[in-house]
Amino acid sequence: MTLGLRTARREQMIPVLRYRSLDPHTTRGAPRRPMPFPTFARHCRLIAAAGRQPMTVSGYVASLGVASAPKNPLVITFDDGGAETMNALRCLAEWGLTATVFVTSSRVGDPGYFHRADLHRIRGLGIEIGGSGHTGRPLNELARTDVIAELTLSRRRLAVAIGDEPRTFAYPGGGYDLSVRQLVISAGYSSACAVRDMLSHPADDRFALARLTVDATTPDSRLQAWLEGVGRSEPHPAPPRGHALRLPRVARSTGPFRPRLGRSEPRLPEPAAASGAIAGTTVIPSPAHATATAASPDSAASRDAGATADAAAASVSAESETVRPAATRRER
């Protein structure tokens, strides 16, 4: 261990593994070599032999502070995927493991990406589906109204696709700040995953859980060390107000949701109006005071939020759901 929880026991260190899509054509951002399936199959063998209790993100967060919680939990996550990732998930289930898959809602049904039938198959394997925004753009680089649109559309469309609202969220590309974190809470999520490339622990911020990126270049020895609880870990309070963990937002003006990147696609039928409940939320300065508000994205907008917030939410509701961009996603 390095700085941080040096005195903590290894069994208190929680590896939350982050696999990215095994499909090369679903990659966003900088080119990378996807993990070959035989390598992933070998990882499944190592993970199964580690003696840890595999859990979904939501299951792990719900177990925190519970006396009957597993002593050696393990969380496996996937960011996006397609046909090859489906094969990897089947392999995972064959080894008796589970995971959480974070899905970009606007891409469901695109060539090379998950189809709606795939999402039902994933759920049938006992694997959780979480949200990762509507277009996959880093949320800390967007205006507030765009963040609201990303969260609202993502949760609503995944609920339609799988029959249930996702309970956990992954910040696209790992980018977030305190305002984005609070909007995720207000959208109704019970947890969220960042990246941070370090081990998690029971005192970790449940709305910025640390994950360890596992890719084709990760040696087996490093993966085994993580599974044994060996690696970096440190306390992670909520970032101070205005501090972005990646790039600062480029715009803060209220206005309609207009995708700035990617291609335009055929317009979709408009579902029910997006909620403006998120627009009136209050930023909480510390995770100690952060409570997961059960505000549904379909609830009515608060009239006490002020004229500006009402106008912004109405604009999002009227214009955002007719656009289905495929924007470039930044990955670490």
Side-chain angles (χ1 to χ4, degrees):
M1 303 236 184
T2 58
L3 295 177
L5 303 179
R6 300 187 183 188
T7 60
R9 294 176 299 171
R10 287 184 179 179
E11 58 266 28
Q12 292 180 308
M13 299 296 99
I14 315 300
V16 182
L17 306 179
R18 176 202 180 213
Y19 287 91
R20 288 178 283 182
S21 171
L22 273 66
D23 301 81
H25 45 276
T26 63
T27 303
R28 299 182 178 192
R32 64 175 177 85
R33 179 165 62 94
M35 178 177 293
F37 181 80
T39 301
F40 180 78
R42 188 173 69 251
H43 285 192
C44 288
R45 184 175 68 252
L46 294 173
I47 292 170
R52 286 187 173 269
Q53 176 64 47
M55 306 182 75
T56 63
V57 173
S58 295
Y60 166 66
V61 170
S63 73
L64 292 175
V66 179
S68 59
K71 295 187 180 302
N72 292 306
L74 162 76
V75 181
I76 304 171
T77 66
F78 285 82
D79 288 357
D80 286 336
E84 288 299 318
T85 304
M86 278 298 305
N87 292 334
L89 296 175
R90 293 188 186 98
C91 178
L92 206 69
E94 290 173 359
W95 282 96
L97 304 172
T98 189
T100 297
V101 180
F102 294 106
V103 176
T104 305
S105 59
S106 71
R107 305 191 67 198
V108 175
D110 284 355
Y113 199 73
F114 293 131
H115 288 256
R116 183 174 294 193
D118 294 328
L119 301 184
H120 288 283
R121 294 187 186 102
I122 291 171
R123 298 250 295 183
L125 294 173
I127 294 173
E128 179 184 31
I129 293 177
S132 188
H134 183 56
T135 65
R137 295 178 295 168
L139 300 184
N140 63 318
E141 299 178 12
L142 304 180
R144 179 184 175 89
T145 50
D146 288 0
V147 175
I148 294 171
E150 288 280 337
L151 296 173
T152 302
L153 290 174
S154 171
R155 199 156 195 253
R156 178 174 298 159
R157 294 196 177 185
L158 287 180
V160 170
I162 64 179
D164 191 18
E165 291 183 337
R167 292 182 293 168
T168 187
F169 185 82
Y171 300 106
Y176 74 101
D177 57 24
L178 183 59
S179 175
V180 169
R181 176 185 178 279
Q182 179 58 29
L183 289 174
V184 168
I185 295 173
S186 299
Y189 291 99
S190 60
S191 59
C193 289
V195 179
R196 295 169 49 201
D197 287 320
M198 61 180 62
L199 289 162
S200 184
H201 51 83
D204 202 358
D205 181 0
R206 68 177 58 192
F207 288 98
L209 292 174
R211 292 191 290 170
L212 296 156
T213 300
V214 186
D215 56 28
T217 64
T218 303
D220 290 356
S221 58
R222 182 177 301 169
L223 176 60
Q224 288 179 311
W226 289 340
L227 295 173
E228 293 172 3
V230 178
R232 289 199 313 135
S233 181
E234 61 186 29
H236 183 72
R241 185 187 302 271
H243 175 70
L245 297 186
R246 291 186 59 147
L247 298 177
R249 293 188 197 169
V250 296
R252 302 242 177 213
S253 60
T254 57
F257 172 64
R258 296 188 179 92
R260 297 174 174 82
L261 302 174
R263 56 188 173 84
S264 298
E265 295 189 355
R267 293 178 177 269
L268 299 176
E270 290 203 20
S275 168
I278 304 177
T281 58
T282 302
V283 173
I284 300 177
S286 170
H289 300 287
T291 56
T293 306
S296 168
D298 294 319
S299 61
S302 173
R303 296 186 178 180
D304 298 330
T308 303
D310 287 342
S315 299
V316 170
S317 169
E319 302 190 22
S320 62
E321 300 200 6
T322 62
V323 183
R324 192 168 178 258
T328 301
R329 178 177 181 178
R330 302 187 180 181
E331 295 185 16
R332 296 181 59 168

